[in-house]
Amino acid sequence: MPYADLNGAHIHFTDTGGDGEAIVFSHGLLFSGAMFDAQVAHFRDKYRCITFDHRGQGQSGVTDDGYDMDTLAEDAASLIKHLGVGPCHFVGLSMGGFVGMRLAARHPDLFRSLTLLDTSAEREPAENQPKYKLMNFVARWIGLWAVIGRVMPILFGQTFLTDPARAAEKKAWARTIVGNHRIGITRAVSGVIHRDGCADLLDQIKMPVGIGVGAEDVATVPAKSEAIHKAIESSELTVFEGAGHSASIETPELVNALITQTITR
C-alpha cells in the first residue's frame, strides 16, 4: 500500500499512474478514498487518478491533532506537491469540499479545476451540533456500530436506502463506516463539527468550478451549494436527483458527467 509521511501525518493514497492530467479525489467524513471507486474506474484510462485518506480515516494514520480544516488542506497540498501532480483537477465531497475550497483560494497554482460535491462553505449549523456531538460520544466510547442506524440516513438519501436492488451495497458501506478507527474517526468528526466557515474565501476562486448536490441531501442541503454557486462567478451548479449526501456512490454517472463538464471547460 502506498503511504507518504506528510505534514506530520502518515497518509494512505492510491495512484493509477499514467501521463494524463491528474484528478485528485478528497473524500467525505466517515469514508475513505474508496468512495470514489466509480469515478476512478471511469476516468483512469485518460487521467491519472489519485485518492487519499484524510488523517484518522480509512487507512491513514491516527494523529493526536491536526483535524481542523486548515491542516487537512495542507495535508492535501503536501500530497499534490509530493506526487508532483500540480496543477491538478480536484474533486472534494463534503469534508473534501471544505479542503478543496481552502486550497483553491490559497494555492490556486495547484489546481486546474475544482469540483465540489455535497458541501458547504459555512460553519456547522448550531442546531446540528448537539446530536452530532452525542453520536460522536457514543461512537468513541461504545463504537460506531451503536450509531450506524442514525448515521446512514444522514449520509445517504432515501432513494438509495430504500432500493431493494442496492441492499447489499448499503450493508457493505455500513460495514465500512463501522470499521473506522474509533479514536481517529471521533477526532475527525470533532474537526468537522467545530470547523470555521470559509465563505470569505470564495470570491478568490477564479478557476472552473463545478458544484453538485444531491436533491435528498440532509447533511448539507442544496441551499448550501446554491450559496457557493452565487459566490463563485466561474461556477456551474447541478442538482443530482435521487442522491443524498454521498452522490459519488449513489449517482456515480451523474457525478462523472459533472466532473467531465468541469475539467473540460
Side-chain angles (χ1 to χ4, degrees):
M1 293 288 183
Y3 287 89
D5 292 311
L6 304 166
N7 201 34
H10 191 55
I11 300 296
H12 170 262
F13 66 94
T14 70
D15 184 355
T16 63
D19 297 326
E21 294 177 356
I23 307 177
V24 177
F25 296 90
S26 180
H27 68 84
L29 183 66
L30 302 179
F31 287 97
S32 71
M35 78 178 310
F36 295 109
D37 280 353
Q39 285 67 50
V40 171
H42 179 79
F43 287 103
R44 65 179 299 157
D45 288 343
K46 185 175 180 181
Y47 296 90
R48 180 176 175 180
C49 295
I50 296 161
T51 71
F52 69 98
D53 300 343
H54 295 290
R55 60 173 69 199
Q57 300 187 74
Q59 299 180 65
S60 287
V62 176
T63 58
D64 292 335
D65 54 20
Y67 296 90
D68 60 283
M69 298 306 116
D70 290 338
T71 301
L72 296 182
E74 290 307 313
D75 288 350
S78 295
L79 180 65
I80 292 168
K81 294 173 184 177
H82 173 74
L83 295 176
V85 295
C88 66
H89 303 287
F90 194 91
V91 179
L93 189 149
S94 189
M95 184 178 69
F98 306 157
V99 167
M101 287 181 279
R102 285 165 170 80
L103 283 182
R106 296 169 179 165
H107 300 282
D109 56 306
L110 295 180
F111 284 11
R112 294 179 186 272
S113 71
L114 173 63
T115 302
L116 299 170
L117 306 170
D118 299 296
T119 194
S120 170
E122 302 170 17
R123 299 172 62 90
E124 189 63 41
E127 61 269 23
N128 289 348
Q129 293 198 20
K131 66 179 179 181
Y132 287 173
K133 289 178 180 178
L134 177 59
M135 285 191 284
N136 207 31
F137 178 85
V138 173
R140 170 65 180 87
W141 295 105
I142 299 177
L144 275 162
W145 63 267
V147 295
I148 192 63
R150 296 185 64 184
V151 167
M152 291 294 282
I154 297 172
L155 295 180
F156 296 96
Q158 288 302 305
T159 297
F160 175 83
L161 292 175
T162 59
D163 185 351
R166 305 189 77 173
E169 192 178 352
K170 178 178 70 174
K171 290 180 181 178
W173 282 112
R175 287 194 300 269
T176 296
I177 293 165
V178 169
N180 272 293
H181 190 287
R182 188 184 299 184
I183 295 175
I185 204 63
T186 51
R187 288 175 180 170
V189 171
S190 292
V192 167
I193 292 173
H194 299 292
R195 73 184 184 276
D196 292 326
C198 62
D200 60 315
L201 299 177
L202 298 182
D203 64 357
Q204 301 175 40
I205 301 175
K206 306 300 182 182
M207 65 197 65
V209 177
I211 303 169
V213 61
E216 302 172 15
D217 191 344
V218 297
T220 52
V221 296
K224 306 294 185 183
S225 290
E226 292 168 5
I228 297 171
H229 173 48
K230 289 179 181 177
I232 302 178
E233 186 175 346
S234 59
S235 69
E236 296 181 355
L237 175 65
T238 299
V239 177
F240 305 127
E241 296 299 330
H245 189 60
S246 304
S248 65
I249 296 169
E250 296 171 81
T251 54
E253 297 86 359
L254 298 180
V255 170
N256 293 345
L258 174 63
I259 296 172
T260 299
Q261 174 183 314
T262 304
I263 65 181
T264 56
R265 276 167 54 190

mmCIF file of all heavy atoms in Angstrom, residues 8 15 25 28 31 36 39 48 60 64 80 85 96 105 109 111-112 129 131 140 145 174 183-184 187 202 226 250 257:
data_model
loop_
_atom_site.group_PDB
_atom_site.id
_atom_site.type_symbol
_atom_site.label_atom_id
_atom_site.label_comp_id
_atom_site.label_asym_id
_atom_site.label_seq_id
_atom_site.Cartn_x
_atom_site.Cartn_y
_atom_site.Cartn_z
ATOM 1 N N GLY A 8 3.235 15.882 9.127
ATOM 2 C CA GLY A 8 3.032 15.244 10.420
ATOM 3 C C GLY A 8 2.035 14.110 10.422
ATOM 4 O O GLY A 8 1.613 13.657 11.488
ATOM 5 N N ASP A 15 -2.872 5.581 -6.571
ATOM 6 C CA ASP A 15 -2.432 6.343 -7.731
ATOM 7 C C ASP A 15 -2.432 5.418 -8.942
ATOM 8 O O ASP A 15 -1.696 4.432 -8.969
ATOM 9 C CB ASP A 15 -1.031 6.894 -7.463
ATOM 10 C CG ASP A 15 -0.495 7.786 -8.577
ATOM 11 O OD1 ASP A 15 -1.165 7.911 -9.624
ATOM 12 O OD2 ASP A 15 0.596 8.354 -8.390
ATOM 13 N N PHE A 25 -8.887 13.124 -5.670
ATOM 14 C CA PHE A 25 -10.197 12.984 -5.039
ATOM 15 C C PHE A 25 -10.058 13.056 -3.513
ATOM 16 O O PHE A 25 -9.256 12.336 -2.916
ATOM 17 C CB PHE A 25 -10.829 11.645 -5.416
ATOM 18 C CG PHE A 25 -11.127 11.486 -6.883
ATOM 19 C CD1 PHE A 25 -10.183 10.943 -7.747
ATOM 20 C CD2 PHE A 25 -12.346 11.878 -7.403
ATOM 21 C CE1 PHE A 25 -10.455 10.787 -9.100
ATOM 22 C CE2 PHE A 25 -12.630 11.730 -8.756
ATOM 23 C CZ PHE A 25 -11.679 11.180 -9.609
ATOM 24 N N GLY A 28 -15.368 12.371 1.869
ATOM 25 C CA GLY A 28 -16.185 12.917 2.928
ATOM 26 C C GLY A 28 -15.951 12.216 4.259
ATOM 27 O O GLY A 28 -15.353 11.138 4.331
ATOM 28 N N PHE A 31 -15.764 8.223 5.528
ATOM 29 C CA PHE A 31 -15.452 7.390 4.376
ATOM 30 C C PHE A 31 -13.935 7.299 4.178
ATOM 31 O O PHE A 31 -13.151 7.522 5.087
ATOM 32 C CB PHE A 31 -16.124 7.947 3.122
ATOM 33 C CG PHE A 31 -17.608 7.740 3.077
ATOM 34 C CD1 PHE A 31 -18.481 8.757 3.475
ATOM 35 C CD2 PHE A 31 -18.146 6.543 2.647
ATOM 36 C CE1 PHE A 31 -19.857 8.576 3.427
ATOM 37 C CE2 PHE A 31 -19.522 6.341 2.596
ATOM 38 C CZ PHE A 31 -20.371 7.367 2.988
ATOM 39 N N PHE A 36 -14.768 6.976 -4.105
ATOM 40 C CA PHE A 36 -14.631 7.428 -5.487
ATOM 41 C C PHE A 36 -14.231 6.298 -6.433
ATOM 42 O O PHE A 36 -13.744 6.560 -7.539
ATOM 43 C CB PHE A 36 -13.597 8.559 -5.570
ATOM 44 C CG PHE A 36 -13.999 9.810 -4.856
ATOM 45 C CD1 PHE A 36 -13.372 10.193 -3.683
ATOM 46 C CD2 PHE A 36 -15.014 10.617 -5.352
ATOM 47 C CE1 PHE A 36 -13.736 11.362 -3.021
ATOM 48 C CE2 PHE A 36 -15.390 11.782 -4.702
ATOM 49 C CZ PHE A 36 -14.751 12.155 -3.520
ATOM 50 N N GLN A 39 -15.639 6.693 -9.855
ATOM 51 C CA GLN A 39 -15.044 7.783 -10.623
ATOM 52 C C GLN A 39 -13.652 7.377 -11.148
ATOM 53 O O GLN A 39 -13.318 7.656 -12.299
ATOM 54 C CB GLN A 39 -14.928 9.035 -9.749
ATOM 55 C CG GLN A 39 -16.245 9.752 -9.520
ATOM 56 C CD GLN A 39 -17.241 8.968 -8.678
ATOM 57 O OE1 GLN A 39 -16.885 8.490 -7.603
ATOM 58 N NE2 GLN A 39 -18.471 8.828 -9.167
ATOM 59 N N ARG A 48 -4.753 10.541 -14.787
ATOM 60 C CA ARG A 48 -4.081 9.931 -13.635
ATOM 61 C C ARG A 48 -4.952 10.202 -12.416
ATOM 62 O O ARG A 48 -5.131 11.351 -12.012
ATOM 63 C CB ARG A 48 -2.693 10.544 -13.460
ATOM 64 C CG ARG A 48 -1.904 9.982 -12.287
ATOM 65 C CD ARG A 48 -0.511 10.582 -12.244
ATOM 66 N NE ARG A 48 0.214 10.144 -11.063
ATOM 67 C CZ ARG A 48 1.466 10.508 -10.767
ATOM 68 N NH1 ARG A 48 2.117 11.326 -11.605
ATOM 69 N NH2 ARG A 48 2.047 10.075 -9.667
ATOM 70 N N SER A 60 -5.225 5.795 6.626
ATOM 71 C CA SER A 60 -4.220 6.762 7.069
ATOM 72 C C SER A 60 -4.047 6.683 8.585
ATOM 73 O O SER A 60 -4.931 6.215 9.312
ATOM 74 C CB SER A 60 -4.609 8.185 6.658
ATOM 75 O OG SER A 60 -4.430 8.362 5.267
ATOM 76 N N ASP A 64 -2.455 12.841 16.939
ATOM 77 C CA ASP A 64 -3.009 13.442 18.155
ATOM 78 C C ASP A 64 -3.808 14.700 17.849
ATOM 79 O O ASP A 64 -4.741 15.037 18.579
ATOM 80 C CB ASP A 64 -1.881 13.784 19.136
ATOM 81 C CG ASP A 64 -1.215 12.546 19.707
ATOM 82 O OD1 ASP A 64 -1.872 11.478 19.741
ATOM 83 O OD2 ASP A 64 -0.036 12.638 20.114
ATOM 84 N N ILE A 80 -0.148 16.627 -3.109
ATOM 85 C CA ILE A 80 -0.078 17.057 -4.515
ATOM 86 C C ILE A 80 1.362 17.408 -4.886
ATOM 87 O O ILE A 80 1.867 17.014 -5.943
ATOM 88 C CB ILE A 80 -1.028 18.244 -4.757
ATOM 89 C CG1 ILE A 80 -2.487 17.792 -4.626
ATOM 90 C CG2 ILE A 80 -0.791 18.861 -6.142
ATOM 91 C CD1 ILE A 80 -3.491 18.934 -4.568
ATOM 92 N N VAL A 85 1.969 16.375 -9.063
ATOM 93 C CA VAL A 85 0.848 16.329 -9.999
ATOM 94 C C VAL A 85 0.124 17.667 -10.144
ATOM 95 O O VAL A 85 -0.925 17.740 -10.768
ATOM 96 C CB VAL A 85 -0.158 15.221 -9.610
ATOM 97 C CG1 VAL A 85 0.495 13.857 -9.737
ATOM 98 C CG2 VAL A 85 -0.697 15.437 -8.201
ATOM 99 N N GLY A 96 -14.198 16.850 2.009
ATOM 100 C CA GLY A 96 -13.257 17.056 0.915
ATOM 101 C C GLY A 96 -13.484 18.371 0.209
ATOM 102 O O GLY A 96 -12.546 18.984 -0.322
ATOM 103 N N ALA A 105 -8.490 28.694 -3.055
ATOM 104 C CA ALA A 105 -8.290 30.113 -2.745
ATOM 105 C C ALA A 105 -6.847 30.419 -2.374
ATOM 106 O O ALA A 105 -6.301 31.461 -2.766
ATOM 107 C CB ALA A 105 -9.220 30.529 -1.607
ATOM 108 N N ASP A 109 -2.301 27.775 -7.734
ATOM 109 C CA ASP A 109 -1.328 27.195 -8.663
ATOM 110 C C ASP A 109 -1.354 25.677 -8.671
ATOM 111 O O ASP A 109 -0.854 25.053 -9.606
ATOM 112 C CB ASP A 109 0.083 27.656 -8.291
ATOM 113 C CG ASP A 109 0.452 27.326 -6.851
ATOM 114 O OD1 ASP A 109 -0.313 27.720 -5.946
ATOM 115 O OD2 ASP A 109 1.493 26.683 -6.619
ATOM 116 N N PHE A 111 -4.156 23.876 -8.781
ATOM 117 C CA PHE A 111 -5.405 23.400 -9.373
ATOM 118 C C PHE A 111 -5.584 23.854 -10.823
ATOM 119 O O PHE A 111 -5.246 24.972 -11.185
ATOM 120 C CB PHE A 111 -6.602 23.934 -8.587
ATOM 121 C CG PHE A 111 -6.879 23.259 -7.274
ATOM 122 C CD1 PHE A 111 -5.986 22.371 -6.703
ATOM 123 C CD2 PHE A 111 -8.055 23.518 -6.594
ATOM 124 C CE1 PHE A 111 -6.241 21.764 -5.489
ATOM 125 C CE2 PHE A 111 -8.331 22.912 -5.376
ATOM 126 C CZ PHE A 111 -7.419 22.042 -4.826
ATOM 127 N N ARG A 112 -6.173 22.962 -11.626
ATOM 128 C CA ARG A 112 -6.690 23.319 -12.942
ATOM 129 C C ARG A 112 -8.192 23.601 -12.841
ATOM 130 O O ARG A 112 -8.726 24.466 -13.532
ATOM 131 C CB ARG A 112 -6.473 22.176 -13.935
ATOM 132 C CG ARG A 112 -5.016 21.867 -14.254
ATOM 133 C CD ARG A 112 -4.936 20.707 -15.219
ATOM 134 N NE ARG A 112 -3.561 20.283 -15.439
ATOM 135 C CZ ARG A 112 -2.755 20.789 -16.366
ATOM 136 N NH1 ARG A 112 -3.197 21.733 -17.167
ATOM 137 N NH2 ARG A 112 -1.514 20.353 -16.489
ATOM 138 N N GLN A 129 -25.297 20.556 15.984
ATOM 139 C CA GLN A 129 -24.167 20.211 16.836
ATOM 140 C C GLN A 129 -24.516 19.297 18.012
ATOM 141 O O GLN A 129 -23.777 18.336 18.270
ATOM 142 C CB GLN A 129 -23.470 21.481 17.324
ATOM 143 C CG GLN A 129 -22.790 22.232 16.184
ATOM 144 C CD GLN A 129 -21.757 23.231 16.668
ATOM 145 O OE1 GLN A 129 -21.261 23.142 17.781
ATOM 146 N NE2 GLN A 129 -21.420 24.181 15.811
ATOM 147 N N LYS A 131 -26.787 16.872 18.398
ATOM 148 C CA LYS A 131 -26.981 15.475 18.006
ATOM 149 C C LYS A 131 -25.696 14.867 17.471
ATOM 150 O O LYS A 131 -25.408 13.680 17.728
ATOM 151 C CB LYS A 131 -28.110 15.344 16.986
ATOM 152 C CG LYS A 131 -27.853 15.992 15.639
ATOM 153 C CD LYS A 131 -29.048 15.781 14.689
ATOM 154 C CE LYS A 131 -28.815 16.458 13.343
ATOM 155 N NZ LYS A 131 -29.988 16.272 12.430
ATOM 156 N N ARG A 140 -17.289 7.042 20.211
ATOM 157 C CA ARG A 140 -15.978 6.972 20.870
ATOM 158 C C ARG A 140 -15.959 5.934 21.977
ATOM 159 O O ARG A 140 -15.000 5.155 22.108
ATOM 160 C CB ARG A 140 -15.616 8.358 21.438
ATOM 161 C CG ARG A 140 -14.389 8.374 22.362
ATOM 162 C CD ARG A 140 -13.131 8.017 21.613
ATOM 163 N NE ARG A 140 -11.967 8.037 22.498
ATOM 164 C CZ ARG A 140 -11.559 7.014 23.233
ATOM 165 N NH1 ARG A 140 -12.238 5.870 23.213
ATOM 166 N NH2 ARG A 140 -10.485 7.118 23.994
ATOM 167 N N TRP A 145 -20.848 1.089 15.616
ATOM 168 C CA TRP A 145 -21.972 0.181 15.382
ATOM 169 C C TRP A 145 -23.221 0.652 16.127
ATOM 170 O O TRP A 145 -24.348 0.390 15.691
ATOM 171 C CB TRP A 145 -21.612 -1.251 15.825
ATOM 172 C CG TRP A 145 -21.327 -1.375 17.302
ATOM 173 C CD1 TRP A 145 -20.114 -1.295 17.919
ATOM 174 C CD2 TRP A 145 -22.284 -1.594 18.349
ATOM 175 N NE1 TRP A 145 -20.239 -1.448 19.281
ATOM 176 C CE2 TRP A 145 -21.569 -1.630 19.572
ATOM 177 C CE3 TRP A 145 -23.669 -1.757 18.380
ATOM 178 C CZ2 TRP A 145 -22.183 -1.829 20.804
ATOM 179 C CZ3 TRP A 145 -24.293 -1.949 19.607
ATOM 180 C CH2 TRP A 145 -23.554 -1.999 20.796
ATOM 181 N N ALA A 174 -22.220 0.360 5.215
ATOM 182 C CA ALA A 174 -22.406 0.430 6.666
ATOM 183 C C ALA A 174 -21.260 -0.275 7.384
ATOM 184 O O ALA A 174 -20.732 0.230 8.387
ATOM 185 C CB ALA A 174 -23.749 -0.185 7.062
ATOM 186 N N ILE A 183 -10.875 6.108 17.595
ATOM 187 C CA ILE A 183 -10.309 7.378 18.044
ATOM 188 C C ILE A 183 -10.109 8.327 16.867
ATOM 189 O O ILE A 183 -10.467 9.507 16.929
ATOM 190 C CB ILE A 183 -8.982 7.142 18.789
ATOM 191 C CG1 ILE A 183 -9.241 6.357 20.085
ATOM 192 C CG2 ILE A 183 -8.298 8.472 19.104
ATOM 193 C CD1 ILE A 183 -7.983 5.975 20.832
ATOM 194 N N GLY A 184 -9.552 7.801 15.788
ATOM 195 C CA GLY A 184 -9.315 8.648 14.631
ATOM 196 C C GLY A 184 -10.591 9.272 14.106
ATOM 197 O O GLY A 184 -10.636 10.476 13.785
ATOM 198 N N ARG A 187 -12.084 12.046 16.362
ATOM 199 C CA ARG A 187 -11.312 13.285 16.236
ATOM 200 C C ARG A 187 -11.661 13.983 14.923
ATOM 201 O O ARG A 187 -11.782 15.217 14.877
ATOM 202 C CB ARG A 187 -9.816 12.995 16.307
ATOM 203 C CG ARG A 187 -9.358 12.609 17.710
ATOM 204 C CD ARG A 187 -7.891 12.199 17.748
ATOM 205 N NE ARG A 187 -7.506 11.849 19.113
ATOM 206 C CZ ARG A 187 -6.359 11.267 19.443
ATOM 207 N NH1 ARG A 187 -5.468 10.963 18.496
ATOM 208 N NH2 ARG A 187 -6.088 10.990 20.704
ATOM 209 N N LEU A 202 -14.380 32.520 -1.011
ATOM 210 C CA LEU A 202 -14.961 32.072 -2.274
ATOM 211 C C LEU A 202 -14.739 33.033 -3.432
ATOM 212 O O LEU A 202 -14.566 32.599 -4.580
ATOM 213 C CB LEU A 202 -16.453 31.796 -2.096
ATOM 214 C CG LEU A 202 -16.811 30.684 -1.098
ATOM 215 C CD1 LEU A 202 -18.322 30.484 -1.056
ATOM 216 C CD2 LEU A 202 -16.098 29.389 -1.435
ATOM 217 N N GLU A 226 -26.108 26.179 -3.409
ATOM 218 C CA GLU A 226 -26.575 27.361 -4.139
ATOM 219 C C GLU A 226 -25.832 28.617 -3.678
ATOM 220 O O GLU A 226 -25.489 29.489 -4.486
ATOM 221 C CB GLU A 226 -28.081 27.522 -3.939
ATOM 222 C CG GLU A 226 -28.901 26.426 -4.607
ATOM 223 C CD GLU A 226 -30.350 26.419 -4.167
ATOM 224 O OE1 GLU A 226 -30.738 27.333 -3.403
ATOM 225 O OE2 GLU A 226 -31.093 25.506 -4.577
ATOM 226 N N GLU A 250 -24.043 7.157 -4.755
ATOM 227 C CA GLU A 250 -25.463 6.995 -5.049
ATOM 228 C C GLU A 250 -25.794 7.196 -6.527
ATOM 229 O O GLU A 250 -26.583 6.446 -7.102
ATOM 230 C CB GLU A 250 -26.268 7.975 -4.195
ATOM 231 C CG GLU A 250 -26.149 7.705 -2.690
ATOM 232 C CD GLU A 250 -26.783 8.817 -1.887
ATOM 233 O OE1 GLU A 250 -28.025 8.805 -1.748
ATOM 234 O OE2 GLU A 250 -26.053 9.706 -1.407
ATOM 235 N N ALA A 257 -20.446 12.833 -14.989
ATOM 236 C CA ALA A 257 -20.793 13.815 -16.019
ATOM 237 C C ALA A 257 -20.424 15.226 -15.571
ATOM 238 O O ALA A 257 -19.907 16.030 -16.372
ATOM 239 C CB ALA A 257 -22.277 13.725 -16.345
#
